[in-house]
């Protein structure tokens, strides 16, 4: 039986999400680290690169497809039905976070436009509502939607350009995720911190108005 291989970028939220799912499922895998932050020309597309998951002859190059495949094969209860909550992250929360942080991290600008912050805050408000009732993104147990959200939220925490204190449900949810995801510091925390360092090396709040 072949061992799963994950070629991933520790500072990339999509890579962190698949890494966390592998640990949650308790699977044996080989982790091949690729650097995003050293010795390359940074672009938003480069920093948001997807990991590559290989399982035998199967190769998956999209993080959400990889998470869906792993969950369907090893723990179907982690799947999200309907899938809207999973894809809310890529189409709203992650997308709007990326609009704010990637240009700064790439050195294209030192500031985050107010309209982009406001759009991100609206997505955070919706995510805060999602976690209000049962404490998870969807239903009363963790799904791959929670894991995907957590990779984005951890990067936001590390970049620290938006006050997250007002999103009480999300804060409680995030602390729960950190406790429930095995090896969270290794699979997500360290990479998010590295991304935050990159962002804050270039970010200047002084010039914003």
């Amino acid at each position: 039986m072949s061992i799963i291989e994950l070629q991933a970028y520790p500072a990339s939220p999509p890579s962190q999400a698949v890494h966390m799912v592998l640990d949650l499922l308790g699977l044996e895998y080989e982790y091949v680290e690729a650097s995003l932050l050293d010795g390359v020309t940074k672009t938003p597309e480069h920093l948001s690169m997807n990991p590559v998951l290989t399982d035998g002859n199967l190769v998956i190059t999209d993080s959400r497809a990889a998470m869906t495949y792993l969950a369907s094969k090893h723990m179907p209860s982690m799947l999200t039905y309907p899938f809207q909550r999973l894809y809310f992250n890529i189409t709203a929360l992650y997308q709007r976070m990326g609009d704010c942080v990637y240009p700064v991290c790439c050195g294209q600008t030192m500031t985050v436009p107010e309209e982009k912050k406001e759009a991100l805050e609206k997505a955070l408000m919706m995510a805060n509502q999602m976690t209000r009732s049962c404490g998870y993104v969807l239903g009363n147990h963790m799904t791959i939607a929670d894991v995907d959200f957590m990779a984005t939220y951890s990067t936001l925490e590390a970049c620290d350009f938006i006050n997250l204190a007002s999103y009480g449900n999300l804060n409680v949810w995030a602390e729960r995720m950190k406790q429930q995801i095995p090896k969270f510091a290794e699979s997500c925390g360290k990479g998010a911190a590295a991304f935050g360092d990159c962002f804050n090396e270039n970010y200047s709040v002084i010039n914003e108005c």
Side-chain angles (χ1 to χ4, degrees):
M1 183 177 178
S2 60
I3 296 178
I4 295 170
E5 179 184 282
L6 177 64
Q7 181 178 333
Y9 311 85
S12 168
S15 288
Q16 294 159 13
V18 179
H19 197 176
M20 285 188 281
V21 168
L22 285 166
D23 286 339
L24 272 165
L25 296 174
L27 299 176
E28 184 179 357
Y29 62 92
E30 180 181 356
Y31 186 86
V32 180
E33 180 176 330
S35 176
L36 274 174
L37 301 177
D38 299 323
V40 296
T41 300
K42 301 184 185 74
T43 65
E45 293 76 19
H46 185 74
L47 291 175
S48 61
M49 284 179 68
N50 272 285
V52 178
L53 181 80
T54 304
D55 188 7
N57 294 323
L58 179 66
V59 178
I60 304 175
T61 58
D62 175 82
S63 63
R64 288 154 194 92
M67 288 188 290
T68 300
Y69 163 76
L70 290 168
S72 64
K73 184 175 181 179
H74 299 282
M75 193 182 292
S77 63
M78 283 193 69
L79 294 174
T80 56
Y81 299 104
F83 283 100
Q84 283 92 331
R85 293 288 172 90
L86 174 61
Y87 289 96
F88 169 81
N89 188 45
I90 184 61
T91 59
L93 186 59
Y94 175 72
Q95 178 65 51
R96 295 177 192 184
M97 180 203 72
D99 290 342
C100 292
V101 303
Y102 286 134
V104 175
C105 206
C106 295
Q108 296 175 355
T109 182
M110 295 176 65
T111 63
V112 178
E114 196 60 34
E115 63 271 17
K116 290 186 178 181
K117 277 189 179 182
E118 290 173 358
L120 175 57
E121 287 167 349
K122 288 179 182 178
L124 283 166
M125 287 177 62
M126 288 187 281
N128 193 60
Q129 287 294 106
M130 289 178 187
T131 55
R132 182 181 64 176
S133 299
C134 300
Y136 294 94
V137 171
L138 181 67
N140 58 5
H141 66 279
M142 190 190 302
T143 67
I144 56 176
D146 290 284
V147 180
D148 202 36
F149 271 51
M150 191 61 201
T152 299
Y153 193 81
S154 297
T155 299
L156 275 175
E157 281 188 315
C159 291
D160 195 28
F161 69 98
I162 273 187
N163 182 8
L164 298 173
S166 58
Y167 307 102
N169 300 324
L170 271 177
N171 290 323
V172 172
W173 163 85
E175 290 306 311
R176 184 182 299 112
M177 294 302 100
K178 292 173 185 178
Q179 295 300 316
Q180 293 184 357
I181 296 172
K183 305 176 185 177
F184 171 81
E186 186 65 30
S187 61
C188 184
K190 289 182 180 179
F195 192 104
D197 289 343
C198 176
F199 174 85
N200 285 296
E201 283 176 4
N202 296 327
Y203 180 59
S204 174
V205 72
I206 297 173
N207 293 331
E208 293 185 359
C209 53

